[in-house]
Amino acid sequence: MLNLVLFGPPGAGKGTQSDLLKKHFDLVHISTGDVFRSLDPSSDLAKLAKSYADKGNLVPDKITIEILESEVQKHSDINGVIYDGFPRTTDQATALDEFLAKKDTSVTLMLSLVVPEEELTQRLLERAKVSGRADDADPEIIQTRIENYNKSTAPVAGFYNQQGKLIEVNGVGSIDDIFNRLKEAIDAR
Ligand code: AMP
């Protein structure tokens, strides 16, 4: 199984590249952000997740890990999974390792998209015009998301680096160029 963790700060292009990788390698794409946004808005879980997401904060690990695991369980007989926006803490990374080990598989690679901070804010403000996401439209919330990324999420790269699974990929350039860099990294594994 090909289990890819697509990593990077908000606005790095994880969603866009996941769509291309999913098609090319015939993978299931799981984005915890998309899963939270697709919950029935009247449910307690959706309201709870939104209360964190709208402020740019991370949803607590216990809830996020449960959501991720139940999403993975919906699929069987697959080539692999792209994890987009998960894991975002080292506790989530540990939980994913344990969960995959029970399924006799493991994370193949973490591909980390590297994009300068100034460009991230611009990209998110641009995306807000079409995404309608409250957390993309407000520069202060974007700043909180980037700070949370730097504090809680960036260390996850170290977690996979210790396992020899981290590959950093330049996330600046055309969508096709970035896709080709990711594809080359996966093909060379
Ligand atoms: P995203 O679509 O990946 O930008 O995620 C949007 C929001 O959903 C984040 O700002 C968090 O509030 C929440 N979220 C998504 N994935 C996670 C995760 N792995 N851990 C905690 N919160 C998450």
Side-chain angles (χ1 to χ4, degrees), residues 38-160:
S38 69
L39 295 170
D40 171 359
S42 65
S43 67
D44 288 345
L45 186 55
K47 286 180 194 157
L48 186 71
K50 194 168 156 44
S51 72
Y52 289 96
D54 280 356
K55 295 194 190 84
N57 290 323
L58 293 182
V59 177
D61 282 339
K62 189 171 178 304
I63 299 168
T64 308
I65 291 164
E66 273 175 27
I67 280 274
L68 182 279
E69 292 186 356
S70 76
E71 198 60 30
V72 176
Q73 298 292 26
K74 290 182 186 166
H75 304 276
S76 58
D77 212 10
I78 52 173
N79 285 336
V81 177
I82 303 177
Y83 295 90
D84 160 9
F86 185 97
R88 262 170 150 109
T89 63
T90 49
D91 282 353
Q92 291 180 15
T94 304
L96 181 62
D97 271 5
E98 288 170 4
F99 176 69
L100 293 181
K102 278 190 235 148
K103 298 168 85 66
D104 286 328
T105 184
S106 59
V107 169
T108 314
L109 282 181
M110 169 191 262
L111 298 156
S112 173
L113 290 169
V114 181
V115 178
E117 211 164 293
E118 317 77 70
E119 182 153 343
L120 297 174
T121 310
Q122 283 317 312
R123 286 188 188 182
L124 290 171
L125 290 171
E126 237 354 87
R127 185 171 79 181
K129 294 178 191 163
V130 284
S131 73
R133 281 175 57 173
D135 59 342
D136 284 346
D138 180 333
E140 271 185 36
I141 296 173
I142 292 176
Q143 198 48 43
T144 304
R145 290 164 71 194
I146 294 174
E147 280 166 20
N148 282 329
Y149 174 83
N150 289 333
K151 189 173 91 203
S152 307
T153 304
V156 178
F159 179 94
Y160 289 105

